[in-house]
């Protein structure tokens, strides 16, 4: 990963923070993008203290102007990126009729439109990088995009859209030398996705995570590091990671 420049969205916590930390440890310069500036600054400081290179770039993936401003800052401080990890996401597990309209709109905005905003704005820099070096676009989707579960209609639909976008984008940018990977985690611990579940559902999720046991964010990060370190002519286009006992 030496001499690579990575941008990770949703880097303030969970899988995003773990990916950023691992890539920096492997030698990449990392740009951390999320809304919570205080968390980004603390993570960037920890990475720098451990000998890595990291910058905090506060932005909201739903706001195109915010992402464009972040892109300008990354360009100025780190140059062209050659690795983009679209990880920002929200989860709601609520019966379809019970999910307020503003909440499902926000979920779709972050999970789908946010990925589109970031990818569109950073695609030119990825194409420039791909002309001379290994270049990756990694989208963190979910196995929920292909499994049908009560209460996850909107979340699952958003992840199905992300999975489709990954596969279609791979066809469009393969000729430019950009590798596209759709990463589909299963039950994962150490994230904030389930923090807003109702108490009874949270208890059930915690029990499932313990009994499986759930994979951890750093294990997902380890897989990402493996995927993007393959020889330039190799593309792991779809990768599923889940607990061994999860079916």
């Amino acid at each position: 990963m030496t001499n690579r420049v990575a941008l990770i969205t949703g880097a303030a916590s969970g899988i995003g923070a773990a990916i950023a930390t691992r890539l920096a440890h492997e030698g990449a310069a990392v740009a951390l993008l999320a809304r919570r500036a205080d968390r980004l600054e603390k993570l960037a400081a920890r990475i720098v203290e451990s000998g890595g290179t990291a910058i905090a770039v506060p932005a909201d993936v739903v706001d195109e102007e915010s992402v464009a401003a972040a892109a300008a800052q990354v360009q100025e401080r780190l140059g062209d990126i050659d690795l983009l990890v679209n990880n920002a996401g929200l989860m709601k597990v609520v019966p379809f009729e019970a999910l307020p309209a503003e909440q499902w709109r926000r979920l779709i905005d972050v999970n789908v439109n946010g990925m589109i905003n970031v990818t569109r704005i950073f695609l030119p820099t990825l194409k420039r990088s791909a002309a001379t070096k290994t270049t990756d676009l990694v989208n963190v989707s979910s196995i929920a995009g292909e499994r049908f579960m009560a209460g996850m209609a909107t979340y699952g639909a958003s992840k199905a859209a992300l999975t489709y976008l990954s596969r279609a984008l791979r066809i469009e940018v393969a000729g430019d030398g950009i590798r596209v990977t759709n990463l589909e985690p299963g039950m994962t611990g150490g994230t904030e996705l389930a923090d807003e579940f109702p108490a009874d559902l949270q208890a059930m999720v915690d029990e499932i995570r313990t009994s499986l046991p759930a994979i951890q964010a750093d294990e997902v990060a380890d897989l990402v590091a493996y995927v993007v370190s393959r020889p330039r002519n190799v593309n792991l286009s779809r990768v599923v990671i889940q607990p061994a006992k999860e079916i």
Side-chain angles (χ1 to χ4, degrees):
M1 297 302 296
T2 303
N3 298 323
R4 298 199 66 178
V5 180
L7 173 79
I8 302 94
T9 70
S13 63
I15 291 175
I19 292 173
T21 302
R22 178 57 185 269
L23 294 180
H25 176 74
E26 296 291 336
V30 296
L32 316 174
L33 191 152
R35 290 182 300 160
R36 293 176 290 185
D38 57 336
R39 290 200 178 192
L40 294 183
E41 294 289 354
K42 290 178 182 177
L43 177 57
R46 288 198 299 270
I47 290 173
V48 171
E49 287 172 3
S50 64
T53 300
I55 62 171
V57 191
D60 185 345
V61 296
V62 174
D63 185 335
E64 288 187 70
E65 291 186 0
S66 177
V67 176
Q73 184 177 352
V74 173
Q75 186 68 43
E76 179 181 355
R77 299 178 65 182
L78 298 179
D80 287 339
I81 69 166
D82 56 72
L83 171 53
L84 170 58
V85 181
N86 282 309
N87 168 73
L90 297 176
M91 174 188 268
K92 294 289 182 181
V93 180
V94 181
F96 184 76
E97 290 183 300
L99 185 63
E102 66 274 11
Q103 290 190 27
W104 67 252
R105 289 194 184 99
R106 177 64 183 173
L107 186 148
I108 295 295
D109 267 347
V110 173
N111 293 5
V112 181
N113 295 331
M115 174 270 187
I116 292 173
N117 285 339
V118 174
T119 303
R120 286 181 67 253
I121 288 170
F122 280 92
L123 195 55
T125 182
L126 291 174
K127 287 185 176 182
R128 288 195 299 269
S129 294
T132 58
K133 61 192 297 192
T134 301
T135 303
D136 291 281
L137 169 59
V138 178
N139 295 320
V140 181
S141 182
S142 169
I143 61 172
E146 295 188 354
R147 296 186 180 180
F148 307 105
M149 293 169 276
M152 298 189 73
T154 306
Y155 176 74
S158 73
K159 291 303 184 179
L162 187 57
T163 294
Y164 185 93
L165 281 165
S166 296
R167 296 176 181 178
L169 268 174
R170 182 175 182 274
I171 296 172
E172 294 192 17
V173 302
D176 297 303
I178 301 173
R179 306 187 300 192
V180 179
T181 298
N182 194 63
L183 179 63
E184 303 172 27
M187 180 65 73
T188 306
T191 77
E192 297 180 347
L193 283 179
D195 284 355
E196 296 183 13
F197 285 0
D200 56 344
L201 183 57
Q202 182 66 64
M204 180 188 72
V205 170
D206 290 343
E207 182 178 350
I208 293 173
R209 282 176 169 170
T210 301
S211 62
L212 285 174
I215 57 173
Q216 298 301 307
D218 60 351
E219 292 169 326
V220 178
D222 179 64
L223 179 58
V224 171
Y226 176 82
V227 166
V228 301
S229 65
R230 296 309 83 205
R232 191 176 180 185
N233 67 319
V234 176
N235 184 184
L236 300 179
S237 58
R238 182 193 179 203
V239 181
V240 178
I241 177 172
Q242 60 189 118
K245 293 183 179 181
E246 184 178 26
I247 57 173

